[in-house]
Amino acid sequence: MPRPLDPDKRAAILDDIKAGHARNVIARDHGVSPSTVSKVARENGHTFDRSQTKDATAAAVADHASRRAALAERLIALAERSMDQAVAVLAEASARDAAVVLGIAVDKHRALVDMDRDPEGLAAVDAWLRGITGQ
């Protein structure tokens, strides 16, 4: 069975709870578990508002999506520059090597087109229009 919490420590934890500090910060500052902080709060009629956590999580998800989109743009630009370089190299390549590279390129293009289709085989734009119009 855990030892009872020292009354002075309990009072200090309660002061931090009343001051609006985050539960995990209070736990770290006082060397106790987050569940201990929650218990002290609950025993004294306080709760931790999780709406800020929910809002922060939603903001982080949006930020990450934005960063992924920016990264995708950079990767596409890199792929385009690499393609220009590859075309110059292919001009010097043997017919066999050129055919292999072009075959791979066509296959990768098909895979990219497939990514833009939904399971029913609709292009992304068509699926979007279907969602808007309901048809």
Side-chain angles (χ1 to χ4, degrees), residues 4-43:
L5 195 58
D6 176 81
D8 291 335
K9 184 175 272 198
R10 181 180 296 276
I13 291 171
L14 187 55
D15 287 343
D16 284 351
I17 293 168
K18 289 177 182 177
H21 298 179
R23 182 189 70 156
N24 291 350
V25 171
I26 296 170
R28 186 175 52 247
D29 289 350
H30 294 282
V32 297
S33 70
S35 63
T36 298
V37 175
S38 294
K39 181 179 177 188
V40 170
R42 189 173 47 254
E43 289 171 349

PDB file of all heavy atoms in Angstrom, residues 4-43:
ATOM      1  N   PRO A   4       0.824   7.452   2.680  1.00  0.00           N
ATOM      2  CA  PRO A   4      -0.051   8.615   2.549  1.00  0.00           C
ATOM      3  C   PRO A   4       0.771   9.830   2.104  1.00  0.00           C
ATOM      4  O   PRO A   4       1.946   9.964   2.449  1.00  0.00           O
ATOM      5  CB  PRO A   4      -0.615   8.835   3.942  1.00  0.00           C
ATOM      6  CG  PRO A   4      -0.305   7.598   4.717  1.00  0.00           C
ATOM      7  CD  PRO A   4       0.829   6.914   4.036  1.00  0.00           C
ATOM      8  N   LEU A   5       0.141  10.698   1.370  1.00  0.00           N
ATOM      9  CA  LEU A   5       0.796  11.895   0.868  1.00  0.00           C
ATOM     10  C   LEU A   5       0.981  12.887   2.013  1.00  0.00           C
ATOM     11  O   LEU A   5       0.049  13.141   2.784  1.00  0.00           O
ATOM     12  CB  LEU A   5      -0.059  12.508  -0.247  1.00  0.00           C
ATOM     13  CG  LEU A   5       0.568  13.540  -1.135  1.00  0.00           C
ATOM     14  CD1 LEU A   5       1.815  12.994  -1.829  1.00  0.00           C
ATOM     15  CD2 LEU A   5      -0.441  13.996  -2.186  1.00  0.00           C
ATOM     16  N   ASP A   6       2.185  13.428   2.131  1.00  0.00           N
ATOM     17  CA  ASP A   6       2.483  14.429   3.153  1.00  0.00           C
ATOM     18  C   ASP A   6       1.497  15.596   3.019  1.00  0.00           C
ATOM     19  O   ASP A   6       1.272  16.089   1.920  1.00  0.00           O
ATOM     20  CB  ASP A   6       3.926  14.909   2.953  1.00  0.00           C
ATOM     21  CG  ASP A   6       4.291  16.016   3.904  1.00  0.00           C
ATOM     22  OD1 ASP A   6       4.619  15.713   5.056  1.00  0.00           O
ATOM     23  OD2 ASP A   6       4.253  17.186   3.462  1.00  0.00           O
ATOM     24  N   PRO A   7       0.907  16.055   4.119  1.00  0.00           N
ATOM     25  CA  PRO A   7      -0.083  17.146   4.043  1.00  0.00           C
ATOM     26  C   PRO A   7       0.464  18.421   3.398  1.00  0.00           C
ATOM     27  O   PRO A   7      -0.262  19.118   2.674  1.00  0.00           O
ATOM     28  CB  PRO A   7      -0.464  17.400   5.503  1.00  0.00           C
ATOM     29  CG  PRO A   7      -0.154  16.119   6.215  1.00  0.00           C
ATOM     30  CD  PRO A   7       1.018  15.521   5.485  1.00  0.00           C
ATOM     31  N   ASP A   8       1.733  18.743   3.646  1.00  0.00           N
ATOM     32  CA  ASP A   8       2.310  19.944   3.035  1.00  0.00           C
ATOM     33  C   ASP A   8       2.418  19.775   1.515  1.00  0.00           C
ATOM     34  O   ASP A   8       2.148  20.707   0.748  1.00  0.00           O
ATOM     35  CB  ASP A   8       3.687  20.250   3.617  1.00  0.00           C
ATOM     36  CG  ASP A   8       3.605  20.711   5.074  1.00  0.00           C
ATOM     37  OD1 ASP A   8       2.537  21.235   5.476  1.00  0.00           O
ATOM     38  OD2 ASP A   8       4.611  20.546   5.804  1.00  0.00           O
ATOM     39  N   LYS A   9       2.818  18.569   1.093  1.00  0.00           N
ATOM     40  CA  LYS A   9       2.924  18.308  -0.341  1.00  0.00           C
ATOM     41  C   LYS A   9       1.538  18.339  -0.971  1.00  0.00           C
ATOM     42  O   LYS A   9       1.346  18.887  -2.067  1.00  0.00           O
ATOM     43  CB  LYS A   9       3.602  16.965  -0.607  1.00  0.00           C
ATOM     44  CG  LYS A   9       3.826  16.700  -2.092  1.00  0.00           C
ATOM     45  CD  LYS A   9       4.590  15.429  -2.328  1.00  0.00           C
ATOM     46  CE  LYS A   9       6.060  15.756  -2.288  1.00  0.00           C
ATOM     47  NZ  LYS A   9       6.911  14.744  -2.904  1.00  0.00           N
ATOM     48  N   ARG A  10       0.558  17.760  -0.286  1.00  0.00           N
ATOM     49  CA  ARG A  10      -0.823  17.769  -0.779  1.00  0.00           C
ATOM     50  C   ARG A  10      -1.308  19.210  -0.947  1.00  0.00           C
ATOM     51  O   ARG A  10      -1.909  19.562  -1.973  1.00  0.00           O
ATOM     52  CB  ARG A  10      -1.738  17.008   0.182  1.00  0.00           C
ATOM     53  CG  ARG A  10      -3.189  16.938  -0.257  1.00  0.00           C
ATOM     54  CD  ARG A  10      -4.042  16.165   0.764  1.00  0.00           C
ATOM     55  NE  ARG A  10      -3.629  14.785   0.867  1.00  0.00           N
ATOM     56  CZ  ARG A  10      -4.023  13.796   0.059  1.00  0.00           C
ATOM     57  NH1 ARG A  10      -4.847  14.074  -0.933  1.00  0.00           N
ATOM     58  NH2 ARG A  10      -3.622  12.573   0.234  1.00  0.00           N
ATOM     59  N   ALA A  11      -1.012  20.067   0.019  1.00  0.00           N
ATOM     60  CA  ALA A  11      -1.433  21.471  -0.057  1.00  0.00           C
ATOM     61  C   ALA A  11      -0.735  22.190  -1.221  1.00  0.00           C
ATOM     62  O   ALA A  11      -1.356  22.987  -1.927  1.00  0.00           O
ATOM     63  CB  ALA A  11      -1.138  22.176   1.264  1.00  0.00           C
ATOM     64  N   ALA A  12       0.555  21.892  -1.420  1.00  0.00           N
ATOM     65  CA  ALA A  12       1.294  22.521  -2.517  1.00  0.00           C
ATOM     66  C   ALA A  12       0.738  22.070  -3.864  1.00  0.00           C
ATOM     67  O   ALA A  12       0.605  22.873  -4.798  1.00  0.00           O
ATOM     68  CB  ALA A  12       2.780  22.181  -2.400  1.00  0.00           C
ATOM     69  N   ILE A  13       0.407  20.788  -3.963  1.00  0.00           N
ATOM     70  CA  ILE A  13      -0.191  20.264  -5.196  1.00  0.00           C
ATOM     71  C   ILE A  13      -1.531  20.942  -5.447  1.00  0.00           C
ATOM     72  O   ILE A  13      -1.824  21.385  -6.563  1.00  0.00           O
ATOM     73  CB  ILE A  13      -0.346  18.723  -5.124  1.00  0.00           C
ATOM     74  CG1 ILE A  13       1.028  18.054  -5.164  1.00  0.00           C
ATOM     75  CG2 ILE A  13      -1.254  18.205  -6.232  1.00  0.00           C
ATOM     76  CD1 ILE A  13       1.006  16.568  -4.877  1.00  0.00           C
ATOM     77  N   LEU A  14      -2.326  21.076  -4.399  1.00  0.00           N
ATOM     78  CA  LEU A  14      -3.629  21.719  -4.531  1.00  0.00           C
ATOM     79  C   LEU A  14      -3.475  23.183  -4.953  1.00  0.00           C
ATOM     80  O   LEU A  14      -4.243  23.682  -5.781  1.00  0.00           O
ATOM     81  CB  LEU A  14      -4.415  21.600  -3.226  1.00  0.00           C
ATOM     82  CG  LEU A  14      -5.854  22.078  -3.250  1.00  0.00           C
ATOM     83  CD1 LEU A  14      -6.654  21.388  -4.346  1.00  0.00           C
ATOM     84  CD2 LEU A  14      -6.514  21.865  -1.894  1.00  0.00           C
ATOM     85  N   ASP A  15      -2.480  23.866  -4.421  1.00  0.00           N
ATOM     86  CA  ASP A  15      -2.224  25.258  -4.832  1.00  0.00           C
ATOM     87  C   ASP A  15      -1.930  25.331  -6.334  1.00  0.00           C
ATOM     88  O   ASP A  15      -2.419  26.226  -7.026  1.00  0.00           O
ATOM     89  CB  ASP A  15      -1.055  25.845  -4.044  1.00  0.00           C
ATOM     90  CG  ASP A  15      -1.404  26.144  -2.592  1.00  0.00           C
ATOM     91  OD1 ASP A  15      -2.614  26.209  -2.263  1.00  0.00           O
ATOM     92  OD2 ASP A  15      -0.464  26.318  -1.780  1.00  0.00           O
ATOM     93  N   ASP A  16      -1.115  24.391  -6.820  1.00  0.00           N
ATOM     94  CA  ASP A  16      -0.792  24.379  -8.246  1.00  0.00           C
ATOM     95  C   ASP A  16      -2.015  24.050  -9.105  1.00  0.00           C
ATOM     96  O   ASP A  16      -2.190  24.593 -10.198  1.00  0.00           O
ATOM     97  CB  ASP A  16       0.334  23.385  -8.541  1.00  0.00           C
ATOM     98  CG  ASP A  16       1.698  23.912  -8.113  1.00  0.00           C
ATOM     99  OD1 ASP A  16       1.793  25.104  -7.748  1.00  0.00           O
ATOM    100  OD2 ASP A  16       2.666  23.129  -8.163  1.00  0.00           O
ATOM    101  N   ILE A  17      -2.862  23.165  -8.588  1.00  0.00           N
ATOM    102  CA  ILE A  17      -4.096  22.833  -9.305  1.00  0.00           C
ATOM    103  C   ILE A  17      -4.971  24.075  -9.406  1.00  0.00           C
ATOM    104  O   ILE A  17      -5.470  24.418 -10.480  1.00  0.00           O
ATOM    105  CB  ILE A  17      -4.859  21.682  -8.598  1.00  0.00           C
ATOM    106  CG1 ILE A  17      -4.065  20.376  -8.693  1.00  0.00           C
ATOM    107  CG2 ILE A  17      -6.261  21.523  -9.182  1.00  0.00           C
ATOM    108  CD1 ILE A  17      -4.590  19.267  -7.793  1.00  0.00           C
ATOM    109  N   LYS A  18      -5.123  24.787  -8.291  1.00  0.00           N
ATOM    110  CA  LYS A  18      -5.939  26.005  -8.266  1.00  0.00           C
ATOM    111  C   LYS A  18      -5.346  27.089  -9.164  1.00  0.00           C
ATOM    112  O   LYS A  18      -6.079  27.899  -9.724  1.00  0.00           O
ATOM    113  CB  LYS A  18      -6.067  26.524  -6.841  1.00  0.00           C
ATOM    114  CG  LYS A  18      -6.936  25.661  -5.953  1.00  0.00           C
ATOM    115  CD  LYS A  18      -6.951  26.196  -4.535  1.00  0.00           C
ATOM    116  CE  LYS A  18      -7.771  25.329  -3.607  1.00  0.00           C
ATOM    117  NZ  LYS A  18      -7.726  25.811  -2.203  1.00  0.00           N
ATOM    118  N   ALA A  19      -4.025  27.083  -9.310  1.00  0.00           N
ATOM    119  CA  ALA A  19      -3.354  28.071 -10.160  1.00  0.00           C
ATOM    120  C   ALA A  19      -3.518  27.747 -11.646  1.00  0.00           C
ATOM    121  O   ALA A  19      -3.130  28.540 -12.500  1.00  0.00           O
ATOM    122  CB  ALA A  19      -1.873  28.158  -9.798  1.00  0.00           C
ATOM    123  N   GLY A  20      -4.077  26.554 -11.946  1.00  0.00           N
ATOM    124  CA  GLY A  20      -4.341  26.195 -13.334  1.00  0.00           C
ATOM    125  C   GLY A  20      -3.193  25.511 -14.043  1.00  0.00           C
ATOM    126  O   GLY A  20      -3.195  25.408 -15.264  1.00  0.00           O
ATOM    127  N   HIS A  21      -2.216  25.025 -13.295  1.00  0.00           N
ATOM    128  CA  HIS A  21      -1.091  24.330 -13.925  1.00  0.00           C
ATOM    129  C   HIS A  21      -1.549  22.984 -14.485  1.00  0.00           C
ATOM    130  O   HIS A  21      -2.522  22.398 -14.012  1.00  0.00           O
ATOM    131  CB  HIS A  21       0.039  24.115 -12.921  1.00  0.00           C
ATOM    132  CG  HIS A  21       0.610  25.393 -12.402  1.00  0.00           C
ATOM    133  ND1 HIS A  21       1.618  25.436 -11.482  1.00  0.00           N
ATOM    134  CD2 HIS A  21       0.327  26.699 -12.671  1.00  0.00           C
ATOM    135  CE1 HIS A  21       1.931  26.683 -11.220  1.00  0.00           C
ATOM    136  NE2 HIS A  21       1.144  27.473 -11.920  1.00  0.00           N
ATOM    137  N   ALA A  22      -0.843  22.505 -15.478  1.00  0.00           N
ATOM    138  CA  ALA A  22      -1.178  21.224 -16.106  1.00  0.00           C
ATOM    139  C   ALA A  22      -0.874  20.071 -15.159  1.00  0.00           C
ATOM    140  O   ALA A  22       0.098  20.111 -14.390  1.00  0.00           O
ATOM    141  CB  ALA A  22      -0.395  21.051 -17.410  1.00  0.00           C
ATOM    142  N   ARG A  23      -1.686  19.051 -15.231  1.00  0.00           N
ATOM    143  CA  ARG A  23      -1.564  17.903 -14.332  1.00  0.00           C
ATOM    144  C   ARG A  23      -0.177  17.263 -14.391  1.00  0.00           C
ATOM    145  O   ARG A  23       0.437  17.001 -13.351  1.00  0.00           O
ATOM    146  CB  ARG A  23      -2.623  16.862 -14.685  1.00  0.00           C
ATOM    147  CG  ARG A  23      -2.586  15.646 -13.766  1.00  0.00           C
ATOM    148  CD  ARG A  23      -3.466  14.565 -14.260  1.00  0.00           C
ATOM    149  NE  ARG A  23      -2.864  14.020 -15.466  1.00  0.00           N
ATOM    150  CZ  ARG A  23      -3.097  12.794 -15.919  1.00  0.00           C
ATOM    151  NH1 ARG A  23      -3.934  12.012 -15.303  1.00  0.00           N
ATOM    152  NH2 ARG A  23      -2.507  12.363 -17.006  1.00  0.00           N
ATOM    153  N   ASN A  24       0.339  17.009 -15.594  1.00  0.00           N
ATOM    154  CA  ASN A  24       1.631  16.339 -15.701  1.00  0.00           C
ATOM    155  C   ASN A  24       2.779  17.215 -15.212  1.00  0.00           C
ATOM    156  O   ASN A  24       3.759  16.719 -14.678  1.00  0.00           O
ATOM    157  CB  ASN A  24       1.879  15.874 -17.132  1.00  0.00           C
ATOM    158  CG  ASN A  24       0.955  14.731 -17.522  1.00  0.00           C
ATOM    159  OD1 ASN A  24       0.259  14.166 -16.693  1.00  0.00           O
ATOM    160  ND2 ASN A  24       0.936  14.399 -18.793  1.00  0.00           N
ATOM    161  N   VAL A  25       2.634  18.525 -15.392  1.00  0.00           N
ATOM    162  CA  VAL A  25       3.656  19.454 -14.894  1.00  0.00           C
ATOM    163  C   VAL A  25       3.656  19.434 -13.368  1.00  0.00           C
ATOM    164  O   VAL A  25       4.717  19.390 -12.738  1.00  0.00           O
ATOM    165  CB  VAL A  25       3.406  20.877 -15.435  1.00  0.00           C
ATOM    166  CG1 VAL A  25       4.318  21.891 -14.770  1.00  0.00           C
ATOM    167  CG2 VAL A  25       3.568  20.904 -16.947  1.00  0.00           C
ATOM    168  N   ILE A  26       2.476  19.453 -12.784  1.00  0.00           N
ATOM    169  CA  ILE A  26       2.368  19.401 -11.317  1.00  0.00           C
ATOM    170  C   ILE A  26       2.995  18.105 -10.807  1.00  0.00           C
ATOM    171  O   ILE A  26       3.773  18.120  -9.836  1.00  0.00           O
ATOM    172  CB  ILE A  26       0.891  19.502 -10.866  1.00  0.00           C
ATOM    173  CG1 ILE A  26       0.305  20.862 -11.257  1.00  0.00           C
ATOM    174  CG2 ILE A  26       0.772  19.270  -9.360  1.00  0.00           C
ATOM    175  CD1 ILE A  26      -1.207  20.955 -11.071  1.00  0.00           C
ATOM    176  N   ALA A  27       2.672  17.001 -11.448  1.00  0.00           N
ATOM    177  CA  ALA A  27       3.215  15.707 -11.019  1.00  0.00           C
ATOM    178  C   ALA A  27       4.728  15.720 -11.070  1.00  0.00           C
ATOM    179  O   ALA A  27       5.398  15.291 -10.120  1.00  0.00           O
ATOM    180  CB  ALA A  27       2.657  14.593 -11.903  1.00  0.00           C
ATOM    181  N   ARG A  28       5.281  16.230 -12.166  1.00  0.00           N
ATOM    182  CA  ARG A  28       6.739  16.274 -12.317  1.00  0.00           C
ATOM    183  C   ARG A  28       7.367  17.190 -11.258  1.00  0.00           C
ATOM    184  O   ARG A  28       8.359  16.846 -10.635  1.00  0.00           O
ATOM    185  CB  ARG A  28       7.092  16.736 -13.729  1.00  0.00           C
ATOM    186  CG  ARG A  28       8.559  16.687 -14.031  1.00  0.00           C
ATOM    187  CD  ARG A  28       8.895  17.047 -15.483  1.00  0.00           C
ATOM    188  NE  ARG A  28       8.305  18.306 -15.906  1.00  0.00           N
ATOM    189  CZ  ARG A  28       7.349  18.429 -16.829  1.00  0.00           C
ATOM    190  NH1 ARG A  28       6.881  17.367 -17.447  1.00  0.00           N
ATOM    191  NH2 ARG A  28       6.869  19.609 -17.150  1.00  0.00           N
ATOM    192  N   ASP A  29       6.764  18.354 -11.059  1.00  0.00           N
ATOM    193  CA  ASP A  29       7.313  19.319 -10.093  1.00  0.00           C
ATOM    194  C   ASP A  29       7.313  18.797  -8.665  1.00  0.00           C
ATOM    195  O   ASP A  29       8.190  19.147  -7.870  1.00  0.00           O
ATOM    196  CB  ASP A  29       6.528  20.633 -10.143  1.00  0.00           C
ATOM    197  CG  ASP A  29       6.774  21.431 -11.412  1.00  0.00           C
ATOM    198  OD1 ASP A  29       7.698  21.075 -12.177  1.00  0.00           O
ATOM    199  OD2 ASP A  29       6.029  22.408 -11.639  1.00  0.00           O
ATOM    200  N   HIS A  30       6.343  17.954  -8.345  1.00  0.00           N
ATOM    201  CA  HIS A  30       6.215  17.476  -6.957  1.00  0.00           C
ATOM    202  C   HIS A  30       6.683  16.035  -6.780  1.00  0.00           C
ATOM    203  O   HIS A  30       6.610  15.482  -5.671  1.00  0.00           O
ATOM    204  CB  HIS A  30       4.768  17.626  -6.480  1.00  0.00           C
ATOM    205  CG  HIS A  30       4.346  19.055  -6.374  1.00  0.00           C
ATOM    206  ND1 HIS A  30       4.704  19.859  -5.317  1.00  0.00           N
ATOM    207  CD2 HIS A  30       3.626  19.842  -7.217  1.00  0.00           C
ATOM    208  CE1 HIS A  30       4.207  21.074  -5.494  1.00  0.00           C
ATOM    209  NE2 HIS A  30       3.556  21.091  -6.655  1.00  0.00           N
ATOM    210  N   GLY A  31       7.147  15.409  -7.860  1.00  0.00           N
ATOM    211  CA  GLY A  31       7.669  14.048  -7.753  1.00  0.00           C
ATOM    212  C   GLY A  31       6.617  13.012  -7.425  1.00  0.00           C
ATOM    213  O   GLY A  31       6.882  12.055  -6.695  1.00  0.00           O
ATOM    214  N   VAL A  32       5.417  13.213  -7.954  1.00  0.00           N
ATOM    215  CA  VAL A  32       4.335  12.252  -7.746  1.00  0.00           C
ATOM    216  C   VAL A  32       3.794  11.836  -9.109  1.00  0.00           C
ATOM    217  O   VAL A  32       4.129  12.426 -10.128  1.00  0.00           O
ATOM    218  CB  VAL A  32       3.193  12.850  -6.875  1.00  0.00           C
ATOM    219  CG1 VAL A  32       3.700  13.198  -5.481  1.00  0.00           C
ATOM    220  CG2 VAL A  32       2.570  14.069  -7.540  1.00  0.00           C
ATOM    221  N   SER A  33       2.943  10.841  -9.112  1.00  0.00           N
ATOM    222  CA  SER A  33       2.364  10.379 -10.370  1.00  0.00           C
ATOM    223  C   SER A  33       1.217  11.304 -10.788  1.00  0.00           C
ATOM    224  O   SER A  33       0.586  11.942  -9.933  1.00  0.00           O
ATOM    225  CB  SER A  33       1.847   8.950 -10.233  1.00  0.00           C
ATOM    226  OG  SER A  33       0.695   8.945  -9.408  1.00  0.00           O
ATOM    227  N   PRO A  34       0.945  11.360 -12.102  1.00  0.00           N
ATOM    228  CA  PRO A  34      -0.211  12.153 -12.561  1.00  0.00           C
ATOM    229  C   PRO A  34      -1.520  11.697 -11.921  1.00  0.00           C
ATOM    230  O   PRO A  34      -2.388  12.519 -11.640  1.00  0.00           O
ATOM    231  CB  PRO A  34      -0.227  11.927 -14.077  1.00  0.00           C
ATOM    232  CG  PRO A  34       1.204  11.645 -14.418  1.00  0.00           C
ATOM    233  CD  PRO A  34       1.727  10.858 -13.243  1.00  0.00           C
ATOM    234  N   SER A  35      -1.645  10.382 -11.666  1.00  0.00           N
ATOM    235  CA  SER A  35      -2.885   9.900 -11.045  1.00  0.00           C
ATOM    236  C   SER A  35      -3.025  10.430  -9.610  1.00  0.00           C
ATOM    237  O   SER A  35      -4.140  10.678  -9.149  1.00  0.00           O
ATOM    238  CB  SER A  35      -2.941   8.370 -11.060  1.00  0.00           C
ATOM    239  OG  SER A  35      -1.892   7.823 -10.287  1.00  0.00           O
ATOM    240  N   THR A  36      -1.906  10.638  -8.926  1.00  0.00           N
ATOM    241  CA  THR A  36      -1.958  11.219  -7.579  1.00  0.00           C
ATOM    242  C   THR A  36      -2.479  12.650  -7.650  1.00  0.00           C
ATOM    243  O   THR A  36      -3.317  13.068  -6.844  1.00  0.00           O
ATOM    244  CB  THR A  36      -0.567  11.191  -6.909  1.00  0.00           C
ATOM    245  OG1 THR A  36      -0.157   9.827  -6.765  1.00  0.00           O
ATOM    246  CG2 THR A  36      -0.585  11.871  -5.556  1.00  0.00           C
ATOM    247  N   VAL A  37      -1.996  13.395  -8.640  1.00  0.00           N
ATOM    248  CA  VAL A  37      -2.463  14.775  -8.813  1.00  0.00           C
ATOM    249  C   VAL A  37      -3.959  14.776  -9.125  1.00  0.00           C
ATOM    250  O   VAL A  37      -4.722  15.576  -8.565  1.00  0.00           O
ATOM    251  CB  VAL A  37      -1.670  15.491  -9.929  1.00  0.00           C
ATOM    252  CG1 VAL A  37      -2.229  16.887 -10.185  1.00  0.00           C
ATOM    253  CG2 VAL A  37      -0.191  15.559  -9.572  1.00  0.00           C
ATOM    254  N   SER A  38      -4.397  13.863  -9.995  1.00  0.00           N
ATOM    255  CA  SER A  38      -5.824  13.769 -10.322  1.00  0.00           C
ATOM    256  C   SER A  38      -6.645  13.437  -9.087  1.00  0.00           C
ATOM    257  O   SER A  38      -7.738  13.984  -8.887  1.00  0.00           O
ATOM    258  CB  SER A  38      -6.054  12.704 -11.392  1.00  0.00           C
ATOM    259  OG  SER A  38      -5.466  13.096 -12.607  1.00  0.00           O
ATOM    260  N   LYS A  39      -6.123  12.555  -8.254  1.00  0.00           N
ATOM    261  CA  LYS A  39      -6.835  12.164  -7.032  1.00  0.00           C
ATOM    262  C   LYS A  39      -6.973  13.349  -6.086  1.00  0.00           C
ATOM    263  O   LYS A  39      -8.043  13.596  -5.538  1.00  0.00           O
ATOM    264  CB  LYS A  39      -6.091  11.014  -6.345  1.00  0.00           C
ATOM    265  CG  LYS A  39      -6.761  10.512  -5.093  1.00  0.00           C
ATOM    266  CD  LYS A  39      -6.000   9.367  -4.467  1.00  0.00           C
ATOM    267  CE  LYS A  39      -6.657   8.940  -3.167  1.00  0.00           C
ATOM    268  NZ  LYS A  39      -5.851   7.964  -2.444  1.00  0.00           N
ATOM    269  N   VAL A  40      -5.902  14.110  -5.910  1.00  0.00           N
ATOM    270  CA  VAL A  40      -5.955  15.295  -5.045  1.00  0.00           C
ATOM    271  C   VAL A  40      -6.974  16.284  -5.604  1.00  0.00           C
ATOM    272  O   VAL A  40      -7.776  16.865  -4.859  1.00  0.00           O
ATOM    273  CB  VAL A  40      -4.558  15.950  -4.909  1.00  0.00           C
ATOM    274  CG1 VAL A  40      -4.643  17.303  -4.224  1.00  0.00           C
ATOM    275  CG2 VAL A  40      -3.606  15.024  -4.161  1.00  0.00           C
ATOM    276  N   ALA A  41      -6.960  16.474  -6.905  1.00  0.00           N
ATOM    277  CA  ALA A  41      -7.908  17.401  -7.530  1.00  0.00           C
ATOM    278  C   ALA A  41      -9.341  16.935  -7.288  1.00  0.00           C
ATOM    279  O   ALA A  41     -10.198  17.727  -6.861  1.00  0.00           O
ATOM    280  CB  ALA A  41      -7.629  17.502  -9.029  1.00  0.00           C
ATOM    281  N   ARG A  42      -9.588  15.670  -7.563  1.00  0.00           N
ATOM    282  CA  ARG A  42     -10.939  15.107  -7.421  1.00  0.00           C
ATOM    283  C   ARG A  42     -11.433  15.227  -5.970  1.00  0.00           C
ATOM    284  O   ARG A  42     -12.582  15.599  -5.725  1.00  0.00           O
ATOM    285  CB  ARG A  42     -10.931  13.651  -7.882  1.00  0.00           C
ATOM    286  CG  ARG A  42     -12.283  13.008  -8.003  1.00  0.00           C
ATOM    287  CD  ARG A  42     -12.240  11.610  -8.618  1.00  0.00           C
ATOM    288  NE  ARG A  42     -11.214  10.737  -8.047  1.00  0.00           N
ATOM    289  CZ  ARG A  42     -10.061  10.400  -8.655  1.00  0.00           C
ATOM    290  NH1 ARG A  42      -9.793  10.841  -9.865  1.00  0.00           N
ATOM    291  NH2 ARG A  42      -9.189   9.613  -8.059  1.00  0.00           N
ATOM    292  N   GLU A  43     -10.555  14.915  -5.013  1.00  0.00           N
ATOM    293  CA  GLU A  43     -10.935  14.983  -3.589  1.00  0.00           C
ATOM    294  C   GLU A  43     -11.282  16.397  -3.152  1.00  0.00           C
ATOM    295  O   GLU A  43     -11.970  16.593  -2.154  1.00  0.00           O
ATOM    296  CB  GLU A  43      -9.788  14.446  -2.718  1.00  0.00           C
ATOM    297  CG  GLU A  43      -9.592  12.954  -2.821  1.00  0.00           C
ATOM    298  CD  GLU A  43      -8.321  12.476  -2.131  1.00  0.00           C
ATOM    299  OE1 GLU A  43      -7.474  13.319  -1.743  1.00  0.00           O
ATOM    300  OE2 GLU A  43      -8.167  11.254  -1.989  1.00  0.00           O
TER     301      GLU A  43
END
